[in-house]
Amino acid sequence: MDTVFVRRFSRLAQVTLIAVYFVILAGAVVRATGSGMGCPDWPKCFGQWVPPTDSAGLPEGYKEHYIEKRKEKNARFAGYLRFFGMNETADRIMNDPAIYTELEFNAAKTWIEYANRLAGALLGVLMLVLLIMAFRLRKHQRKLFAATLFAFVLLGFEGWFGSIVVSTNLLTWTITLHMILAFLLIFVMTYITYQANALYDREQTVHAAQSLKWPAFAVLFFTLLQVLIGTQVREEVDIIAGQVSDRGVWISMLSDLYIVHRTLAWAVLLLNTVFFLMIRRQRPRDAALFRLSVFLMVTVVLETLAGIALAWFAFPALAQPLHLLLASMIFGIQSAMLMRVAATRQPAISS
């Protein structure tokens, strides 16, 4: 196996993983600024590959046109839902008038959403190149090729589902599922990056004692649980935000689910601290794992501070996308740590 080629594949996998985080951040900015419907159609924006900068560039009768287009797309999507027995959800999509409310043009929101789509398109190009390179490794590294193919298909599905998010006018559960798929993509890309590195990096194949496997799984599980509860809290915030403009009262209007989310945040901080101390005391110490644990603790602390800022300072706009980005980073770091402590030894390729 060509060592130089494997190194290039590994570096591209790392760049692609970073791009995934960048797209998540861009999507979080879109949501925090309320720009999700900045482009009423997909993949174009107001029927153009480069969106207009003012209302003079809008197509005539665009509101009625895009409402009809969305109804057609939603009818197809509702058909898929009914196929899986989700009749009530399908009926709501077809009959909820709020879904077909066309917002007034806002150039800033349009370009924020368009920038998000450009970031997604760049990620798609990187993923395609990565898949082409993985094809060359398919005979010797079938799992790595299969994971890359799955990541490519998953990204395509995520892009398609993004169009459903738009056509349903940001229906809350579709946004949540869109985010869950993004976390799944992080996990798969982290696996690809780890496996690619292990092909040539001898340090990558020296693992800490497997006694850390279950603690690593535990912190990852509680992070996922916290994220899932957090998405439900965010759905409540979205509903409240549509009814009340004063951010200062949003916290008081949330259900007890917010209390659970806040309490679990401190539990997650404690669990990760214990996990960090276990790694720190491990002998012989896995240097790479310890570096990851330090990075994890810094990220968890920053995430906790971002959550405090949201609660104490009336949901500052900057803290919302930062909160989601840090949560996704925590999940990614923990995934890499779990893969490292759970993996079996394998020889690195010779250079």
Side-chain angles (χ1 to χ4, degrees), residues 37 40 66-82 86-87 89-102 160-171 173-174:
M37 291 303 294
Y66 291 123
I67 286 175
E68 289 304 316
K69 287 290 186 182
R70 282 160 54 195
K71 285 182 178 179
E72 293 174 7
K73 183 183 287 288
N74 289 348
R76 291 194 296 270
F77 183 54
Y80 302 148
L81 294 176
R82 289 193 176 95
M86 302 173 65
N87 295 321
T89 303
D91 290 340
R92 181 187 172 192
I93 289 175
M94 293 304 300
N95 301 318
D96 187 353
I99 289 178
Y100 301 103
T101 301
E102 192 69 38
W160 170 80
F161 197 76
S163 72
I164 297 299
V165 173
V166 172
S167 68
T168 56
N169 199 7
L170 312 181
L171 201 60
W173 71 266
T174 62

Side-chain angles (χ1 to χ4, degrees), residues 234-282:
R234 184 56 199 263
E235 287 180 5
E236 291 186 5
V237 171
D238 288 343
I239 294 171
I240 293 170
Q243 301 169 346
V244 181
S245 59
D246 184 4
R247 291 172 175 255
V249 301
W250 288 359
I251 289 291
S252 63
M253 298 176 67
L254 292 171
S255 70
D256 291 341
L257 194 63
Y258 167 70
I259 305 299
V260 175
H261 183 58
R262 185 179 64 186
T263 304
L264 190 57
W266 294 110
V268 168
L269 175 61
L270 177 61
L271 283 171
N272 280 279
T273 301
V274 172
F275 185 46
F276 168 76
L277 293 175
M278 291 177 67
I279 294 172
R280 186 169 180 267
R281 293 170 183 170
Q282 190 73 36

Side-chain angles (χ1 to χ4, degrees), residues 215 217-227 229 258-276 296-297 300-301 303-304 308 330 334:
F217 179 80
V219 293
L220 182 64
F221 172 79
F222 277 98
T223 295
L224 272 176
L225 179 63
Q226 173 71 332
V227 168
I229 295 175
Y258 167 70
I259 305 299
V260 175
H261 183 58
R262 185 179 64 186
T263 304
L264 190 57
W266 294 110
V268 168
L269 175 61
L270 177 61
L271 283 171
N272 280 279
T273 301
V274 172
F275 185 46
F276 168 76
L296 174 63
M297 279 308 303
V300 169
V301 170
E303 171 73 336
T304 304
I308 292 172
I330 290 170
Q334 290 173 340

Side-chain angles (χ1 to χ4, degrees), residues 152-162 177-178 181:
F152 182 78
V153 173
L154 178 61
L155 179 63
F157 181 80
E158 176 81 327
W160 170 80
F161 197 76
L177 181 56
H178 196 50
L181 292 173

